[in-house]
Amino acid sequence: MTEFVSISDTEYRQISQLVYDKFGINLGEKKRSLVLGRLHKIVRQNGFENFGEYYEHVLTDQSGSALRTLIDRISTNHTFFYREKSHFEYFSETVLPALANLKDSNSRKAIRIWSAGCSSGEEPYTLAMLISEYLGQDLRNWNAGVLATDISSNVLEKAGQGIYSDENVSRLPSSLKLKYFKKLPDGSWQVVPKIREMVLFRRLNLMRNEFPFRNRFHTIFCRNVMIYFDQVTRDALVHRFHRYLENDGYLFIGHSESLGRQNNYFNYLQPATYKKKGDRQQ
């Protein structure tokens, strides 16, 4: 019988502070039961007597594996295809036509999209499908793709496989589902290779001061990620998004989030949809 290990106030503060310092996630007291539930198994399986020992292990693990496991367990990754569908409609009807008229400074046709906090891949795959739909046969003449990043190695591994349950894809327009998915023998659905090849999955911590990108993006999706950050962290991230967007680039955030209409970096377009203001002194 596995003995239950409780978490003290001090231990919870230590773990919460570590998660905030490393990943910008503000857990708060309300997440205490969630943290306990998701980490308890790790503590017991590894033979730690208490959460204090586990905390010290995470701090001293030079490989970084313990820290990655911690954030994999803490991160909430519930999503589905076509979540907040008004964003995808706006992307298809307004953003893509605007981008199709643009050219890079080197005159190459390019569409660079970043799905920041991509979770298990539903969002970036949908964006790739919509790009394919809009460009049609002309897709081959474009350098068009989606960078999909997340802090969780677990969800990125799942995303790369591109396999989803019938329930997960149920809200997709049938035209996209039938065209861009293959039904597997067990009843699940897999994204077709053409779309999987358009999406590049990478692990990335959004708390980095500088991102390892050579080019700016035309559009950034970062939806339902900043709800876990405090105001200082959100403001700093929005500033970085501004730096890594092309002029007049678009930013989509979650409908439960807001930049405020008086922010210094983006103009409001519609709920949770913004357009970059001109470059400012960085």
Side-chain angles (χ1 to χ4, degrees):
M1 182 175 179
T2 301
E3 181 181 353
F4 181 78
V5 179
S6 61
I7 186 168
S8 69
D9 292 345
T10 298
E11 291 166 343
Y12 182 69
R13 284 195 299 269
Q14 288 174 328
I15 292 174
S16 297
Q17 189 64 47
L18 178 64
V19 170
Y20 178 81
D21 291 342
K22 296 294 185 180
F23 307 108
I25 297 175
N26 186 23
L27 291 171
E29 186 60 33
K30 293 182 179 179
K31 299 292 185 179
R32 184 170 181 146
S33 60
L34 179 146
V35 171
L36 178 59
R38 294 188 177 183
L39 297 183
H40 184 268
K41 187 176 181 180
I42 299 177
V43 172
R44 297 306 300 152
Q45 284 182 338
N46 288 275
F48 300 116
E49 293 294 328
N50 51 58
F51 276 88
E53 288 187 5
Y54 169 67
Y55 170 74
E56 291 299 327
H57 167 68
V58 174
L59 286 184
T60 57
D61 174 35
Q62 297 298 313
S63 71
S65 175
L67 187 62
R68 288 193 295 272
T69 299
L70 169 63
I71 195 59
D72 280 345
R73 292 298 182 93
I74 293 297
S75 300
T76 300
N77 297 296
H78 171 69
T79 188
F80 48 85
F81 278 95
Y82 243 59
R83 184 179 184 182
E84 299 181 342
K85 69 175 184 177
S86 62
H87 281 160
F88 297 116
E89 293 169 348
Y90 190 89
F91 180 75
S92 293
E93 297 167 5
T94 302
V95 176
L96 284 176
L99 297 184
N101 291 322
L102 297 177
K103 288 187 178 181
D104 274 0
S105 57
N106 61 6
S107 297
R108 291 185 63 201
K109 293 181 177 181
I111 295 178
R112 291 185 298 276
I113 311 298
W114 179 16
S115 172
C118 67
S119 189
S120 44
E122 290 87 343
E123 177 181 272
Y125 283 136
T126 300
L127 295 172
M129 292 177 215
L130 296 177
I131 293 171
S132 178
E133 282 292 285
Y134 184 80
L135 295 179
Q137 294 298 317
D138 198 34
L139 177 64
R140 69 190 70 174
N141 299 318
W142 284 76
N143 178 18
V146 182
L147 173 67
T149 68
D150 202 275
I151 194 61
S152 171
S153 301
N154 286 348
V155 295
L156 289 174
E157 181 178 354
K158 176 184 176 182
Q161 298 171 358
I163 299 175
Y164 302 93
S165 68
D166 192 66
E167 180 183 2
N168 194 295
V169 301
S170 63
R171 303 189 190 194
L172 269 172
S174 58
S175 58
L176 296 181
K177 179 178 175 181
L178 296 176
K179 185 174 182 179
Y180 294 114
F181 286 83
K182 177 184 177 181
K183 188 75 174 286
L184 300 180
D186 65 357
S188 60
W189 298 79
Q190 184 170 33
V191 180
V192 298
K194 171 186 175 181
I195 296 302
R196 295 207 308 273
E197 291 167 4
M198 290 179 65
V199 181
L200 177 64
F201 290 101
R202 288 290 183 267
R203 186 175 184 272
L204 180 70
N205 188 345
L206 292 176
M207 294 302 101
R208 293 179 58 151
N209 291 325
E210 300 288 338
F211 297 133
F213 307 139
R214 288 178 295 180
N215 298 307
R216 292 179 173 184
F217 296 94
H218 299 103
T219 300
I220 296 175
F221 276 71
C222 185
R223 304 187 304 165
N224 305 302
V225 174
M226 290 188 285
I227 55 174
Y228 301 105
F229 301 155
D230 61 17
Q231 190 63 50
V232 173
T233 305
R234 286 196 296 269
D235 290 345
L237 181 58
V238 168
H239 184 190
R240 289 195 291 276
F241 283 155
H242 181 270
R243 286 162 48 198
Y244 286 92
L245 268 174
E246 293 280 9
N247 288 333
D248 294 324
Y250 297 86
L251 173 65
F252 292 83
I253 63 176
H255 276 97
S256 61
E257 303 165 323
S258 175
L259 302 187
R261 301 200 182 195
Q262 302 303 318
N263 80 88
N264 294 323
Y265 300 105
F266 292 90
N267 289 317
Y268 173 89
L269 296 176
Q270 66 169 22
T273 307
Y274 297 83
K275 194 170 188 178
K276 176 180 174 177
K277 295 182 180 179
D279 281 326
R280 300 161 53 88
Q281 185 68 35
Q282 303 299 318

